[in-house]
Amino acid sequence: MNDRPKDAVALDREDMFGLAEALRSDAERFLKRAGEINTAIGSGNTGHREDRAWGADPRNLSAQPIVEFHNELADRAHRLLESVGTGMSNLSGITEAIVARFGDQDALSSASVDDISVVTRLDPSSDQPPQDNR
């Protein structure tokens, strides 16, 4: 019979460290590409840039709503790209913290969801620092 708790997590440490490294690498590449995309999209201030006279010229009222709409979408795109990159980077750190917390395959395999929540600090009721079981 299986002695592990019913909500145990069975993972291979080497694979998990590899996953953490791959996520970190992907996040770095993504954030670099996001910067390039943000540059291509332009700033959220397009209506006031000198190289966009149609938006900066108050006489061109028909273009102003289009420029303002672009500004809003550009700002949203910048925030979304940054959030995705930050999320990927955080996931890498969480993955690494989970694996680093447990000293061997058996400890990791027998970890309960509550044990993992303490390490990730995703459980708001968990205000105790994680313990090292190595």
Side-chain angles (χ1 to χ4, degrees):
M1 187 163 151
N2 190 344
D3 294 343
R4 294 186 302 176
K6 65 179 179 173
D7 55 352
V9 180
L11 301 169
D12 182 277
R13 288 193 73 181
E14 285 186 35
D15 288 348
M16 288 301 293
F17 275 124
L19 174 62
E21 290 173 12
L23 286 169
R24 181 172 290 113
S25 175
D26 285 350
E28 289 170 2
R29 281 194 305 276
F30 179 87
L31 287 169
K32 181 178 183 225
R33 184 68 180 122
E36 295 166 0
I37 292 169
N38 283 336
T39 299
I41 290 172
S43 77
N45 236 356
T46 14
H48 305 289
R49 286 173 42 182
E50 292 178 17
D51 63 338
R52 307 237 195 263
W54 59 87
D57 188 346
R59 295 170 296 174
N60 196 350
L61 297 179
S62 61
Q64 198 60 37
I66 295 168
V67 170
E68 289 172 6
F69 183 67
H70 174 271
N71 291 348
E72 182 181 339
L73 292 181
D75 286 341
R76 287 182 185 186
H78 295 315
R79 285 193 307 270
L80 176 62
L81 289 168
E82 288 174 6
S83 294
V84 169
T86 300
M88 290 171 64
S89 184
N90 289 346
L91 184 57
S92 169
I94 288 170
T95 302
E96 194 170 318
I98 290 169
V99 180
R101 164 69 168 78
F102 302 97
D104 57 29
Q105 179 65 42
D106 291 339
L108 183 58
S109 294
S110 65
S112 69
V113 172
D114 290 338
D115 294 337
I116 302 260
S117 293
V118 169
V119 173
T120 61
R121 298 184 184 175
L122 295 176
D123 179 5
S125 65
S126 170
D127 55 5
Q128 297 177 352
Q131 297 174 355
D132 191 357
N133 281 352
R134 290 188 215 183

